[in-house]
Amino acid sequence: MRDSEFQIAKQNASLRMQVEEKLRQAISVGRFKPGERLVERELCEMIGVGRTSIREALRQLEAEGLITSFPHRGPVVSTISYEEAAQLYTVRALLESFAGQQFAEQGTEEDMADLELRVKEFSDAAQADSRERLLAAKTAFYECLTNGSKNVVVKQILTSLHNRVTLLRMTSMTQPGRLEHSVEEIQAIAAAIRERDGPKAAAACKYHIDMAARVALEHLPRD
């Protein structure tokens, strides 16, 4: 094979990732509900891309657990059982606690500045009436947290968990009073990291996830 045959079409890859993100966002904000069937033709019209891009994006979201494909029915938005959600939050609390502690102990000044920015973005988004902006700000905060941990493996695993928890995040954040507390908890995480207090940052991260889990699990059937 010629060397040119190994080259990647960067534009196509970028398009695929954009389609993936649009579909994740649509699921996150409730545009598509758990159990709802995803029709390729309708997705093509909604996003303005061809079937190939939609199919590639659906395959990626299926790998992340956001979508489940059934014979003779096609892809549907996944549902999460109470037991699975509880396990997701337990593992996430452990890993984010570690990430927060590592950030406090190893994060650079540049990481700290980025963290301040992400906390402010989330606080500002909480005042705005936009689910899309809120979720984007929360995603950016978690990305900053994992970047600051300087642990690539933790970042990869947490990114996968965050994608899966996408199905539950808006449920927890939109409950009365939860968003205000979420902002305070994230500010506490950032404060502990700024103080370079690893154990305090870990505890703040765990508390934040435990509170989110409690709210989300209250709205899932135990069956």
Side-chain angles (χ1 to χ4, degrees):
M1 296 180 68
R2 297 188 301 273
D3 287 349
S4 61
E5 295 182 46
F6 288 98
Q7 294 180 0
I8 296 173
K10 295 181 181 178
Q11 185 175 1
N12 291 340
S14 177
L15 176 62
R16 187 197 70 238
M17 288 187 286
Q18 289 180 58
V19 175
E20 290 171 11
E21 188 53 38
K22 287 295 182 183
L23 289 176
R24 278 194 205 95
Q25 187 180 69
I27 293 171
S28 299
V29 300
R31 170 65 177 79
F32 298 118
K33 309 290 186 184
E36 183 175 348
R37 183 168 173 256
L38 300 175
V39 182
E40 284 185 8
R41 175 179 52 78
E42 294 176 358
L43 296 178
C44 290
E45 294 174 357
M46 183 181 82
I47 301 177
V49 297
R51 284 180 180 255
T52 299
S53 296
I54 292 296
R55 287 171 181 170
E56 290 175 346
L58 290 175
R59 280 196 292 270
Q60 175 60 30
L61 296 189
E62 183 174 7
E64 295 173 6
L66 287 178
I67 289 172
T68 305
S69 291
F70 294 96
H72 313 300
R73 189 182 178 195
V76 302
V77 179
S78 299
T79 57
I80 297 183
S81 68
Y82 182 95
E83 198 63 37
E84 183 182 3
Q87 292 173 7
L88 282 170
Y89 277 114
T90 297
V91 175
R92 185 181 163 199
L94 290 171
L95 289 176
E96 280 191 25
S97 296
F98 176 77
Q101 179 161 349
Q102 292 293 102
F103 194 145
E105 296 171 355
Q106 301 186 33
T108 65
E109 289 304 314
E110 184 179 352
D111 293 327
M112 297 286 181
D114 189 38
L115 182 65
E116 290 295 323
L117 175 62
R118 302 310 170 191
V119 171
K120 185 179 185 307
E121 286 178 347
F122 182 66
S123 180
D124 290 344
Q127 305 300 318
D129 186 21
S130 170
R131 288 189 171 193
E132 290 82 359
R133 182 179 171 187
L134 190 61
L135 283 167
K138 196 69 176 289
T139 298
F141 169 80
Y142 288 131
E143 183 176 7
C144 176
L145 184 69
T146 54
N147 285 339
S149 75
K150 307 304 180 187
N151 189 307
V152 176
V153 175
V154 167
K155 178 179 174 64
Q156 291 173 337
I157 297 173
L158 273 175
T159 298
S160 176
L161 285 176
H162 287 155
N163 288 339
R164 192 78 174 99
V165 173
T166 290
L167 294 164
L168 301 169
R169 187 172 293 161
M170 188 51 70
T171 298
S172 64
M173 284 199 297
T174 55
Q175 299 309 309
R178 175 57 198 152
L179 187 54
E180 180 182 349
H181 289 302
S182 185
V183 171
E184 293 172 354
E185 291 158 16
I186 282 178
Q187 290 172 339
I189 292 170
I193 290 174
R194 282 197 306 272
E195 294 168 11
R196 298 288 185 179
D197 190 330
K200 185 177 178 181
C205 286
K206 185 176 186 304
Y207 180 77
H208 174 58
I209 303 306
D210 287 346
M211 293 302 99
R214 186 177 70 179
V215 174
L217 293 174
E218 284 177 355
H219 295 80
L220 287 177
R222 285 179 174 269
D223 186 0

